[in-house]
Amino acid sequence: MTRQQLKNSGKLMKKSCMPKNDVTEEEIGEIEQGKFIEDRKVMCYIACVYTMSQVIKNNKLNYEAVLKQVDMMFPAEMKDAVKASATHCKDISKKYKDICEASYWTAKCMYDFDPSNFVFP
């Protein structure tokens, strides 16, 4: 998949997760550019996207599932960078019992680690 195809596949998740979490485009539209609003609804939107991406198992972020999705979905030129980012941030979620908070802070960590290879719908 190209980066554009990856973004297009994310649109479906976005359309499904936005109304479920009562968030607006203003609140979540620039996550990919590093605009993380510390708000419960935004945090749960990120968790919803991760759930739809099948990287949340038993209400926890699953590192192995993240690596598997990267292999399946990401363009070849991004795979190593995104895996490095996931590896760097894999323990962040252990600090949070709440899946919304765990998802939010993991996504923010991955963005901060490598903004150029961060893709989020």
Side-chain angles (χ1 to χ4, degrees):
M1 247 194 230
T2 66
R3 187 178 183 123
Q4 191 55 51
Q5 287 170 318
L6 182 64
K7 286 176 72 72
N8 289 346
S9 72
K11 285 179 185 169
L12 193 63
M13 290 184 254
K14 185 175 184 175
K15 278 189 179 141
S16 175
C17 290
M18 279 181 73
K20 281 183 188 169
N21 294 287
D22 191 30
V23 290
T24 64
E25 185 63 33
E26 289 73 38
E27 290 169 312
I28 57 96
E30 294 179 32
I31 290 174
E32 190 171 330
Q33 289 77 39
K35 185 180 171 189
F36 287 85
I37 298 171
E38 264 189 70
D39 178 274
R40 176 102 189 129
K41 294 186 301 185
V42 173
M43 292 178 179
C44 292
Y45 166 78
I46 293 172
C48 178
V49 170
Y50 281 164
T51 300
M52 288 188 77
S53 304
Q54 300 177 339
V55 298
I56 291 179
K57 309 275 184 204
N58 301 320
N59 217 30
K60 287 186 170 55
L61 275 162
N62 183 298
Y63 172 68
E64 287 74 25
V66 171
L67 297 183
K68 189 173 150 192
Q69 282 292 28
V70 171
D71 275 335
M72 283 182 1
M73 301 288 289
F74 279 72
E77 68 274 9
M78 290 176 70
K79 285 182 184 182
D80 289 344
V82 176
K83 284 181 181 178
S85 178
T87 301
H88 175 78
C89 299
K90 71 178 184 172
D91 292 331
I92 296 285
S93 65
K94 292 176 182 164
K95 296 178 186 172
Y96 302 95
K97 285 190 171 48
D98 179 80
I99 192 60
C100 296
E101 287 184 26
S103 300
Y104 176 90
W105 291 110
T106 298
K108 186 162 180 1
C109 175
M110 290 179 70
Y111 173 83
D112 290 343
F113 184 76
D114 187 357
S116 64
N117 285 296
F118 183 77
V119 178
F120 205 87

